[in-house]
Amino acid sequence: MSGFRSLSSGLRALQPAAFGADPSGERLARIRRSPHFKDGVFQNPGGTARTRPSGSALDFAKVFFDKDERPQRAPKGTVPVHPTTLADIAKPPATGLRLTWMGHSSVLAEIDGQRVLFDPVWGERCSPFSFVGPKRLHPVPLPLAALGPVDVVVISHDHYDHLDLPSIKALADTDTLFAVPLGVGAHLEHWGVSVDRIRELDWHEATKVGGLTLTATPARHFCGRGLRNTQHTLWASWSVAGGEHRIFHSGDTGYFEGFKDIGAEHGPFDATMIQIGAYSDFWPDIHMTPQEGMRAHLDLQGGEPHGVMMPIHWATFNLATHPWAEPGEGTLAAARATGSRVALPRPGEPFEPTAETVPSEPWWRAVAQAPAGGWPAADALTEAAIKTSAAGAPAGADGAEQGESAEGTGEPETVSAG
């Protein structure tokens, strides 16, 4: 037996640091006491979710490696990253609320005098290895150190495109606090974050940071980083409430009816940051399409258009088989179909959700492969989106394809607060 133990220890020693650490001791005991932990794993709201591609591996490979569709999954030109500087975000927001999307799900939120950094991923790849794995399609807008002091870092779950070792290492030596779902603190401690700076929450638990209340809310997803996925870390969406403003970050999630409950308890929100990318028919339970994302936004707002929805989890990494520009187009279509206000900033472009205007130009069109008939014009897109929404189909590629007979101008557009 000692030989097997030695082999096991040797294999653990070869594991990259990015794999993190499994929960143990009192942390594991707390996980096992959670009402959301059953039969050795965390349970999803709304029943079991498929966390691996459905269908055969061959079917998935045919789609993933299709030589005609593969080029559409990346920009054909340079992504227009906003040249953000510390000066851009050093002055307090005039309205008390400012969001800066750094790409993918990383957002700096300045809310009622506090600075919250969601899912910081500054690494070149979302992978445990530096030489393989999905690589950035655009650079980070500015170095992590140039953000200035951050009051709290919020992590939605422990997948590599949300919990990034290089970024955590860079933040470990600062004074920032970390708000994370149950079990994720084991990774942070393993990487040098002191336990007294970690606030580890189950769903519906809250912590206070300055004048903010941060609440871990349910999501429909899964977890895991290493070769052996123990399902002992939780995933979450997050509500952040200050004295004047409220915001919501979805993390990764499939659509579920629980968004209505979250909205009723914590909303309505001045801004929602909603995952609308990396969706697929192969894994429909764990990621949302743009139409589902807009439905979630409306649920969070009590069923009525309110606040601003900002799409996240797209444009930075190629993680699914849909065209690179499709999440942006689908979000634009879904917003027009429902009369919702949507913000479409370039990576690194600060904006204030409650200001008179927000960024709304379809900037991706200048660097994406256009659909066969060109980009839809605003009127054609609205009509297509309404038809798509009424039919109950995803307003992603469908919304664009149904209106692709009309050429879009691609001119900048400004949306009023209305």
Side-chain angles (χ1 to χ4, degrees):
M1 293 298 291
S2 61
F4 286 110
R5 284 196 296 270
S6 299
L7 177 60
S8 177
S9 299
L11 289 174
R12 281 197 299 271
L14 292 173
Q15 291 182 358
F19 277 7
D22 289 335
S24 60
E26 176 52 33
R27 178 177 280 117
L28 182 57
R30 186 181 170 204
I31 287 169
R32 288 171 173 163
R33 293 193 299 267
S34 168
H36 310 110
F37 191 79
K38 183 181 179 183
D39 299 328
V41 296
F42 280 108
Q43 304 293 314
N44 266 303
T48 303
R50 287 167 288 175
T51 61
R52 294 291 182 268
S54 59
S56 70
L58 180 60
D59 290 338
F60 179 75
K62 286 180 179 177
V63 175
F64 190 80
F65 293 107
D66 184 276
K67 63 180 179 66
D68 295 323
E69 295 187 5
R70 192 173 178 83
Q72 298 181 31
R73 298 205 296 270
K76 67 177 183 179
T78 302
V79 175
V81 175
H82 184 82
T84 313
T85 66
L86 178 58
D88 292 328
I89 53 180
K91 184 179 180 180
T95 61
L97 176 63
R98 180 168 57 210
L99 301 180
T100 307
W101 178 51
M102 299 296 176
H104 202 56
S105 295
S106 303
V107 182
L108 175 66
E110 298 164 273
I111 172 171
D112 297 342
Q114 304 289 307
R115 307 178 92 233
V116 182
L117 183 59
F118 292 96
D119 286 356
V121 176
W122 260 250
E124 188 64 19
R125 297 181 185 270
C126 48
S127 167
F129 307 105
S130 61
F131 54 88
V132 69
K135 191 176 182 181
R136 284 187 162 275
L137 299 174
H138 66 79
V140 293
L142 76 170
L144 188 57
L147 287 184
V150 172
D151 295 292
V152 58
V153 172
V154 176
I155 303 296
S156 63
H157 63 297
D158 70 358
H159 285 161
Y160 290 100
D161 57 325
H162 297 261
L163 180 61
D164 176 54
L165 173 59
S167 302
I168 299 301
K169 285 277 193 181
L171 293 161
D173 293 331
T174 68
D175 294 329
T176 188
L177 299 174
F178 291 82
V180 303
L182 276 182
V184 175
H187 298 310
L188 302 189
E189 280 196 71
H190 186 65
W191 297 333
V193 179
S194 60
V195 67
D196 62 315
R197 290 166 51 207
I198 301 172
R199 311 284 178 84
E200 208 160 343
L201 307 181
D202 200 351
W203 291 339
H204 309 297
E205 292 182 342
T207 187
K208 288 190 176 292
V209 176
L212 303 180
T213 299
L214 296 88
T215 306
T217 48
R220 188 166 165 78
H221 201 57
F222 68 112
C223 64
R225 293 179 72 85
L227 296 175
R228 184 172 60 90
N229 183 2
T230 62
Q231 288 290 81
H232 282 172
T233 63
L234 187 60
W235 48 95
S237 56
W238 289 86
S239 164
V240 178
E244 299 293 332
H245 297 94
R246 293 172 179 263
I247 57 176
F248 176 85
H249 188 284
S250 72
D252 275 4
T253 181
Y255 177 80
F256 68 111
E257 292 292 328
F259 288 118
K260 297 176 183 177
D261 298 327
I262 295 171
E265 184 171 357
H266 302 286
F269 298 96
D270 296 289
T272 65
M273 297 157 271
I274 304 289
Q275 171 264 307
I276 50 79
Y279 48 85
S280 173
D281 289 340
F282 286 100
W283 50 82
D285 299 336
I286 56 172
H287 282 162
M288 293 189 290
T289 65
Q291 186 201 25
E292 290 171 328
M294 186 57 67
R295 183 180 174 189
H297 168 75
L298 291 172
D299 286 352
L300 290 161
Q301 308 291 33
E304 298 293 333
H306 177 83
V308 171
M309 185 271 222
M310 180 175 73
I312 59 172
H313 201 264
W314 77 290
T316 304
F317 298 105
N318 183 354
L319 301 177
T321 59
H322 59 67
W324 175 75
E326 186 175 287
E329 288 294 315
T331 300
L332 191 58
R336 286 172 171 163
T338 59
S340 300
R341 192 177 185 221
V342 65
L344 302 168
R346 293 167 174 80
E349 183 178 3
F351 73 97
E352 301 192 26
T354 60
E356 184 177 351
T357 61
V358 296
S360 57
E361 176 192 355
W363 53 265
W364 54 85
R365 293 182 179 179
V367 295
Q369 182 173 318
W375 300 111
D379 291 343
L381 181 56
T382 300
E383 181 181 357
I386 292 172
K387 289 179 180 178
T388 301
S389 180
D398 297 339
E401 290 168 359
Q402 290 180 29
E404 63 187 14
S405 60
E407 290 282 350
T409 64
E411 290 301 311
E413 175 188 7
T414 298
V415 175
S416 66

